[in-house]
Amino acid sequence: MKKIMYLIMLPCKKVTELIEKRSLVGLSFKEKIQLHLHKTMCDACTAYQKQSKKIDELLERYIHTSDTNNSGSYQNHELKQKIINNLS
Amino acid sequence: MPKSDTAIVMQSWVEAFSDKMYLWTLYKTNSKETAEDLVQDTFLAAFQAIEKFEGKSEPKTWLFSILNNKIAEHFRKAYRNPTINESDRNVDTEVSLFDTFFDSDGNWKKEQRPKEWHRDEGNLLDNAEFINVLQGCLRKLPNNWFAAVQLKYIEKKRGELICQELEISPTNFWQILHRAKLQLRKCLEVHWFKN
């Protein structure tokens, strides 16, 4: 009985793992059902999935945003000198 | 191009672009040392490959394409070879990470159950305070977890492809991302969304 319950109702730890797997490589049919069933009964994992997606969006935009717009005043003379010395 | 001319051209590129390249790399790697090393490597590589640069693209574009390859290579290395201390730390981090969040049955501990975030204010990435929090949380990740996060988002590739390049199993990769995400989510919640 416990085994059947496990098959139907995965523990939250496993479910959060599936949520990350989903966004990276996708889920099998069985995993999709397991995830869906679990979420219908678990507010915490539903919230986790929402937040996980939000973090994905934030990181994706963060990593592709250039932060060099405000570099006008930034000068790293030491580094420049090091590079120039290396090249000659 | 005679060698002395090359040196003059390179020098002018260093003057014009190295600051931007440094900031760009610092933004991605979160480490001053790494950023300096990668920018230096880039100019060295450019110097050696100057013959291949035929003026078809802007010097800046060319330099940044070399730099971005160096950055991705850096994260691949960091992911594959966490230093010995780091991997020791990971075993501990891993065990205590799961123990922090989940009970012995693998379900959320009562006080750890995620609840909806209500704090939501337009474009968070325009908010310098939030960027600070995000960078602080990223810095707390173990090296190879951070590398996995960067690799996932930098290259905009399907997971399988990233794993092929890293010669690792996809399972390993998304399990590391899972741990990184759990830690990052908690950190952002504590330092931002709960406020």
PDB file of all heavy atoms in Angstrom, chain B residues 98-120:
ATOM      1  N   PHE B  98      19.223  19.462   2.137  1.00  0.00           N
ATOM      2  CA  PHE B  98      17.970  18.697   2.089  1.00  0.00           C
ATOM      3  C   PHE B  98      17.370  18.569   3.484  1.00  0.00           C
ATOM      4  O   PHE B  98      16.157  18.630   3.641  1.00  0.00           O
ATOM      5  CB  PHE B  98      18.202  17.321   1.467  1.00  0.00           C
ATOM      6  CG  PHE B  98      18.399  17.372  -0.026  1.00  0.00           C
ATOM      7  CD1 PHE B  98      19.326  16.552  -0.655  1.00  0.00           C
ATOM      8  CD2 PHE B  98      17.648  18.237  -0.812  1.00  0.00           C
ATOM      9  CE1 PHE B  98      19.502  16.594  -2.037  1.00  0.00           C
ATOM     10  CE2 PHE B  98      17.817  18.295  -2.188  1.00  0.00           C
ATOM     11  CZ  PHE B  98      18.750  17.472  -2.795  1.00  0.00           C
ATOM     12  N   ASP B  99      18.229  18.381   4.507  1.00  0.00           N
ATOM     13  CA  ASP B  99      17.724  18.257   5.873  1.00  0.00           C
ATOM     14  C   ASP B  99      17.079  19.544   6.365  1.00  0.00           C
ATOM     15  O   ASP B  99      16.176  19.519   7.185  1.00  0.00           O
ATOM     16  CB  ASP B  99      18.863  17.884   6.843  1.00  0.00           C
ATOM     17  CG  ASP B  99      19.231  16.417   6.689  1.00  0.00           C
ATOM     18  OD1 ASP B  99      18.481  15.702   6.006  1.00  0.00           O
ATOM     19  OD2 ASP B  99      20.266  16.002   7.224  1.00  0.00           O
ATOM     20  N   THR B 100      17.587  20.669   5.863  1.00  0.00           N
ATOM     21  CA  THR B 100      17.005  21.952   6.259  1.00  0.00           C
ATOM     22  C   THR B 100      15.567  22.068   5.789  1.00  0.00           C
ATOM     23  O   THR B 100      14.701  22.553   6.500  1.00  0.00           O
ATOM     24  CB  THR B 100      17.810  23.112   5.632  1.00  0.00           C
ATOM     25  OG1 THR B 100      19.178  22.911   5.911  1.00  0.00           O
ATOM     26  CG2 THR B 100      17.352  24.454   6.170  1.00  0.00           C
ATOM     27  N   PHE B 101      15.337  21.595   4.552  1.00  0.00           N
ATOM     28  CA  PHE B 101      14.025  21.849   3.955  1.00  0.00           C
ATOM     29  C   PHE B 101      13.018  20.721   4.174  1.00  0.00           C
ATOM     30  O   PHE B 101      11.834  20.969   4.308  1.00  0.00           O
ATOM     31  CB  PHE B 101      14.177  22.069   2.449  1.00  0.00           C
ATOM     32  CG  PHE B 101      14.919  23.326   2.109  1.00  0.00           C
ATOM     33  CD1 PHE B 101      16.105  23.277   1.390  1.00  0.00           C
ATOM     34  CD2 PHE B 101      14.436  24.558   2.517  1.00  0.00           C
ATOM     35  CE1 PHE B 101      16.798  24.437   1.083  1.00  0.00           C
ATOM     36  CE2 PHE B 101      15.123  25.723   2.209  1.00  0.00           C
ATOM     37  CZ  PHE B 101      16.301  25.665   1.503  1.00  0.00           C
ATOM     38  N   PHE B 102      13.509  19.480   4.157  1.00  0.00           N
ATOM     39  CA  PHE B 102      12.577  18.352   4.128  1.00  0.00           C
ATOM     40  C   PHE B 102      12.699  17.463   5.361  1.00  0.00           C
ATOM     41  O   PHE B 102      13.778  17.320   5.924  1.00  0.00           O
ATOM     42  CB  PHE B 102      12.823  17.512   2.866  1.00  0.00           C
ATOM     43  CG  PHE B 102      12.692  18.298   1.597  1.00  0.00           C
ATOM     44  CD1 PHE B 102      13.821  18.642   0.858  1.00  0.00           C
ATOM     45  CD2 PHE B 102      11.445  18.719   1.138  1.00  0.00           C
ATOM     46  CE1 PHE B 102      13.716  19.377  -0.314  1.00  0.00           C
ATOM     47  CE2 PHE B 102      11.326  19.457  -0.025  1.00  0.00           C
ATOM     48  CZ  PHE B 102      12.458  19.786  -0.757  1.00  0.00           C
ATOM     49  N   ASP B 103      11.575  16.870   5.754  1.00  0.00           N
ATOM     50  CA  ASP B 103      11.600  15.916   6.874  1.00  0.00           C
ATOM     51  C   ASP B 103      12.057  14.548   6.368  1.00  0.00           C
ATOM     52  O   ASP B 103      12.393  14.393   5.203  1.00  0.00           O
ATOM     53  CB  ASP B 103      10.227  15.857   7.557  1.00  0.00           C
ATOM     54  CG  ASP B 103       9.126  15.359   6.622  1.00  0.00           C
ATOM     55  OD1 ASP B 103       9.450  14.658   5.633  1.00  0.00           O
ATOM     56  OD2 ASP B 103       7.959  15.676   6.864  1.00  0.00           O
ATOM     57  N   SER B 104      12.037  13.563   7.235  1.00  0.00           N
ATOM     58  CA  SER B 104      12.610  12.259   6.869  1.00  0.00           C
ATOM     59  C   SER B 104      11.789  11.566   5.772  1.00  0.00           C
ATOM     60  O   SER B 104      12.282  10.681   5.087  1.00  0.00           O
ATOM     61  CB  SER B 104      12.729  11.370   8.108  1.00  0.00           C
ATOM     62  OG  SER B 104      11.470  11.302   8.747  1.00  0.00           O
ATOM     63  N   ASP B 105      10.526  11.956   5.601  1.00  0.00           N
ATOM     64  CA  ASP B 105       9.732  11.385   4.504  1.00  0.00           C
ATOM     65  C   ASP B 105       9.939  12.131   3.191  1.00  0.00           C
ATOM     66  O   ASP B 105       9.363  11.772   2.169  1.00  0.00           O
ATOM     67  CB  ASP B 105       8.226  11.457   4.842  1.00  0.00           C
ATOM     68  CG  ASP B 105       7.870  10.517   5.981  1.00  0.00           C
ATOM     69  OD1 ASP B 105       8.575   9.487   6.120  1.00  0.00           O
ATOM     70  OD2 ASP B 105       6.919  10.816   6.721  1.00  0.00           O
ATOM     71  N   GLY B 106      10.720  13.202   3.246  1.00  0.00           N
ATOM     72  CA  GLY B 106      10.952  13.971   2.025  1.00  0.00           C
ATOM     73  C   GLY B 106       9.880  15.031   1.772  1.00  0.00           C
ATOM     74  O   GLY B 106       9.782  15.560   0.678  1.00  0.00           O
ATOM     75  N   ASN B 107       9.086  15.312   2.781  1.00  0.00           N
ATOM     76  CA  ASN B 107       8.107  16.392   2.615  1.00  0.00           C
ATOM     77  C   ASN B 107       8.584  17.669   3.296  1.00  0.00           C
ATOM     78  O   ASN B 107       9.420  17.617   4.190  1.00  0.00           O
ATOM     79  CB  ASN B 107       6.755  15.956   3.168  1.00  0.00           C
ATOM     80  CG  ASN B 107       6.130  14.896   2.284  1.00  0.00           C
ATOM     81  OD1 ASN B 107       6.129  15.020   1.054  1.00  0.00           O
ATOM     82  ND2 ASN B 107       5.632  13.829   2.896  1.00  0.00           N
ATOM     83  N   TRP B 108       8.046  18.807   2.848  1.00  0.00           N
ATOM     84  CA  TRP B 108       8.482  20.090   3.413  1.00  0.00           C
ATOM     85  C   TRP B 108       8.314  20.099   4.919  1.00  0.00           C
ATOM     86  O   TRP B 108       7.282  19.675   5.438  1.00  0.00           O
ATOM     87  CB  TRP B 108       7.640  21.249   2.838  1.00  0.00           C
ATOM     88  CG  TRP B 108       7.848  21.517   1.396  1.00  0.00           C
ATOM     89  CD1 TRP B 108       7.009  21.168   0.377  1.00  0.00           C
ATOM     90  CD2 TRP B 108       8.942  22.224   0.784  1.00  0.00           C
ATOM     91  NE1 TRP B 108       7.522  21.598  -0.830  1.00  0.00           N
ATOM     92  CE2 TRP B 108       8.704  22.247  -0.612  1.00  0.00           C
ATOM     93  CE3 TRP B 108      10.100  22.822   1.272  1.00  0.00           C
ATOM     94  CZ2 TRP B 108       9.577  22.855  -1.515  1.00  0.00           C
ATOM     95  CZ3 TRP B 108      10.975  23.427   0.376  1.00  0.00           C
ATOM     96  CH2 TRP B 108      10.712  23.432  -0.992  1.00  0.00           C
ATOM     97  N   LYS B 109       9.332  20.574   5.630  1.00  0.00           N
ATOM     98  CA  LYS B 109       9.132  20.834   7.046  1.00  0.00           C
ATOM     99  C   LYS B 109       8.135  21.981   7.176  1.00  0.00           C
ATOM    100  O   LYS B 109       8.088  22.857   6.308  1.00  0.00           O
ATOM    101  CB  LYS B 109      10.464  21.236   7.707  1.00  0.00           C
ATOM    102  CG  LYS B 109      11.396  20.065   7.918  1.00  0.00           C
ATOM    103  CD  LYS B 109      12.659  20.523   8.627  1.00  0.00           C
ATOM    104  CE  LYS B 109      13.596  19.354   8.843  1.00  0.00           C
ATOM    105  NZ  LYS B 109      14.903  19.786   9.343  1.00  0.00           N
ATOM    106  N   LYS B 110       7.396  21.974   8.246  1.00  0.00           N
ATOM    107  CA  LYS B 110       6.278  22.907   8.370  1.00  0.00           C
ATOM    108  C   LYS B 110       6.707  24.356   8.145  1.00  0.00           C
ATOM    109  O   LYS B 110       6.086  25.108   7.385  1.00  0.00           O
ATOM    110  CB  LYS B 110       5.637  22.751   9.748  1.00  0.00           C
ATOM    111  CG  LYS B 110       4.194  23.231   9.761  1.00  0.00           C
ATOM    112  CD  LYS B 110       3.531  22.931  11.088  1.00  0.00           C
ATOM    113  CE  LYS B 110       2.200  23.674  11.148  1.00  0.00           C
ATOM    114  NZ  LYS B 110       1.810  23.953  12.526  1.00  0.00           N
ATOM    115  N   GLU B 111       7.834  24.747   8.799  1.00  0.00           N
ATOM    116  CA  GLU B 111       8.245  26.148   8.728  1.00  0.00           C
ATOM    117  C   GLU B 111       8.919  26.474   7.383  1.00  0.00           C
ATOM    118  O   GLU B 111       9.186  27.635   7.085  1.00  0.00           O
ATOM    119  CB  GLU B 111       9.145  26.503   9.917  1.00  0.00           C
ATOM    120  CG  GLU B 111      10.538  25.889   9.895  1.00  0.00           C
ATOM    121  CD  GLU B 111      10.580  24.417  10.336  1.00  0.00           C
ATOM    122  OE1 GLU B 111       9.511  23.824  10.591  1.00  0.00           O
ATOM    123  OE2 GLU B 111      11.695  23.858  10.409  1.00  0.00           O
ATOM    124  N   GLN B 112       9.201  25.439   6.598  1.00  0.00           N
ATOM    125  CA  GLN B 112       9.899  25.668   5.329  1.00  0.00           C
ATOM    126  C   GLN B 112       8.960  25.665   4.123  1.00  0.00           C
ATOM    127  O   GLN B 112       9.391  25.926   3.003  1.00  0.00           O
ATOM    128  CB  GLN B 112      10.974  24.588   5.113  1.00  0.00           C
ATOM    129  CG  GLN B 112      12.124  24.627   6.097  1.00  0.00           C
ATOM    130  CD  GLN B 112      13.013  25.851   5.913  1.00  0.00           C
ATOM    131  OE1 GLN B 112      12.939  26.554   4.901  1.00  0.00           O
ATOM    132  NE2 GLN B 112      13.839  26.126   6.899  1.00  0.00           N
ATOM    133  N   ARG B 113       7.711  25.337   4.344  1.00  0.00           N
ATOM    134  CA  ARG B 113       6.788  25.228   3.204  1.00  0.00           C
ATOM    135  C   ARG B 113       6.712  26.556   2.441  1.00  0.00           C
ATOM    136  O   ARG B 113       6.431  27.595   3.030  1.00  0.00           O
ATOM    137  CB  ARG B 113       5.378  24.860   3.696  1.00  0.00           C
ATOM    138  CG  ARG B 113       5.248  23.438   4.223  1.00  0.00           C
ATOM    139  CD  ARG B 113       3.878  23.208   4.849  1.00  0.00           C
ATOM    140  NE  ARG B 113       2.810  23.256   3.844  1.00  0.00           N
ATOM    141  CZ  ARG B 113       2.492  22.230   3.082  1.00  0.00           C
ATOM    142  NH1 ARG B 113       3.130  21.093   3.191  1.00  0.00           N
ATOM    143  NH2 ARG B 113       1.527  22.340   2.190  1.00  0.00           N
ATOM    144  N   PRO B 114       6.988  26.517   1.134  1.00  0.00           N
ATOM    145  CA  PRO B 114       6.900  27.761   0.371  1.00  0.00           C
ATOM    146  C   PRO B 114       5.483  28.320   0.394  1.00  0.00           C
ATOM    147  O   PRO B 114       4.519  27.573   0.240  1.00  0.00           O
ATOM    148  CB  PRO B 114       7.280  27.330  -1.049  1.00  0.00           C
ATOM    149  CG  PRO B 114       8.038  26.073  -0.894  1.00  0.00           C
ATOM    150  CD  PRO B 114       7.449  25.397   0.303  1.00  0.00           C
ATOM    151  N   LYS B 115       5.414  29.629   0.624  1.00  0.00           N
ATOM    152  CA  LYS B 115       4.119  30.309   0.522  1.00  0.00           C
ATOM    153  C   LYS B 115       4.234  31.337  -0.585  1.00  0.00           C
ATOM    154  O   LYS B 115       5.334  31.743  -0.933  1.00  0.00           O
ATOM    155  CB  LYS B 115       3.799  31.003   1.851  1.00  0.00           C
ATOM    156  CG  LYS B 115       3.541  30.040   2.973  1.00  0.00           C
ATOM    157  CD  LYS B 115       3.010  30.780   4.199  1.00  0.00           C
ATOM    158  CE  LYS B 115       3.096  29.927   5.449  1.00  0.00           C
ATOM    159  NZ  LYS B 115       4.423  29.944   6.083  1.00  0.00           N
ATOM    160  N   GLU B 116       3.096  31.749  -1.091  1.00  0.00           N
ATOM    161  CA  GLU B 116       3.118  32.725  -2.193  1.00  0.00           C
ATOM    162  C   GLU B 116       3.928  33.958  -1.808  1.00  0.00           C
ATOM    163  O   GLU B 116       3.861  34.422  -0.675  1.00  0.00           O
ATOM    164  CB  GLU B 116       1.679  33.175  -2.509  1.00  0.00           C
ATOM    165  CG  GLU B 116       0.865  32.072  -3.120  1.00  0.00           C
ATOM    166  CD  GLU B 116       0.439  32.406  -4.548  1.00  0.00           C
ATOM    167  OE1 GLU B 116       0.860  33.455  -5.078  1.00  0.00           O
ATOM    168  OE2 GLU B 116      -0.300  31.593  -5.121  1.00  0.00           O
ATOM    169  N   TRP B 117       4.682  34.479  -2.793  1.00  0.00           N
ATOM    170  CA  TRP B 117       5.374  35.737  -2.579  1.00  0.00           C
ATOM    171  C   TRP B 117       4.437  36.872  -2.971  1.00  0.00           C
ATOM    172  O   TRP B 117       3.901  36.885  -4.066  1.00  0.00           O
ATOM    173  CB  TRP B 117       6.628  35.814  -3.445  1.00  0.00           C
ATOM    174  CG  TRP B 117       7.732  34.925  -2.983  1.00  0.00           C
ATOM    175  CD1 TRP B 117       7.891  34.366  -1.751  1.00  0.00           C
ATOM    176  CD2 TRP B 117       8.866  34.481  -3.760  1.00  0.00           C
ATOM    177  NE1 TRP B 117       9.044  33.619  -1.706  1.00  0.00           N
ATOM    178  CE2 TRP B 117       9.653  33.672  -2.907  1.00  0.00           C
ATOM    179  CE3 TRP B 117       9.284  34.711  -5.072  1.00  0.00           C
ATOM    180  CZ2 TRP B 117      10.842  33.073  -3.358  1.00  0.00           C
ATOM    181  CZ3 TRP B 117      10.460  34.111  -5.502  1.00  0.00           C
ATOM    182  CH2 TRP B 117      11.235  33.299  -4.646  1.00  0.00           C
ATOM    183  N   HIS B 118       4.276  37.813  -2.053  1.00  0.00           N
ATOM    184  CA  HIS B 118       3.362  38.903  -2.399  1.00  0.00           C
ATOM    185  C   HIS B 118       4.098  40.148  -2.848  1.00  0.00           C
ATOM    186  O   HIS B 118       3.558  40.986  -3.540  1.00  0.00           O
ATOM    187  CB  HIS B 118       2.422  39.200  -1.233  1.00  0.00           C
ATOM    188  CG  HIS B 118       1.463  38.077  -1.005  1.00  0.00           C
ATOM    189  ND1 HIS B 118       0.526  37.716  -1.940  1.00  0.00           N
ATOM    190  CD2 HIS B 118       1.343  37.201   0.024  1.00  0.00           C
ATOM    191  CE1 HIS B 118      -0.165  36.674  -1.493  1.00  0.00           C
ATOM    192  NE2 HIS B 118       0.320  36.334  -0.311  1.00  0.00           N
ATOM    193  N   ARG B 119       5.371  40.226  -2.425  1.00  0.00           N
ATOM    194  CA  ARG B 119       6.119  41.418  -2.815  1.00  0.00           C
ATOM    195  C   ARG B 119       6.446  41.328  -4.307  1.00  0.00           C
ATOM    196  O   ARG B 119       7.163  40.458  -4.749  1.00  0.00           O
ATOM    197  CB  ARG B 119       7.413  41.491  -2.008  1.00  0.00           C
ATOM    198  CG  ARG B 119       8.183  42.743  -2.293  1.00  0.00           C
ATOM    199  CD  ARG B 119       9.321  42.922  -1.316  1.00  0.00           C
ATOM    200  NE  ARG B 119      10.038  44.133  -1.663  1.00  0.00           N
ATOM    201  CZ  ARG B 119      11.091  44.574  -1.012  1.00  0.00           C
ATOM    202  NH1 ARG B 119      11.552  43.914   0.016  1.00  0.00           N
ATOM    203  NH2 ARG B 119      11.696  45.671  -1.387  1.00  0.00           N
ATOM    204  N   ASP B 120       5.907  42.240  -5.052  1.00  0.00           N
ATOM    205  CA  ASP B 120       6.127  42.193  -6.496  1.00  0.00           C
ATOM    206  C   ASP B 120       6.066  43.622  -7.016  1.00  0.00           C
ATOM    207  O   ASP B 120       5.040  44.272  -6.954  1.00  0.00           O
ATOM    208  CB  ASP B 120       5.027  41.344  -7.151  1.00  0.00           C
ATOM    209  CG  ASP B 120       5.388  41.020  -8.581  1.00  0.00           C
ATOM    210  OD1 ASP B 120       6.540  41.291  -8.984  1.00  0.00           O
ATOM    211  OD2 ASP B 120       4.513  40.502  -9.301  1.00  0.00           O
TER     212      ASP B 120
END
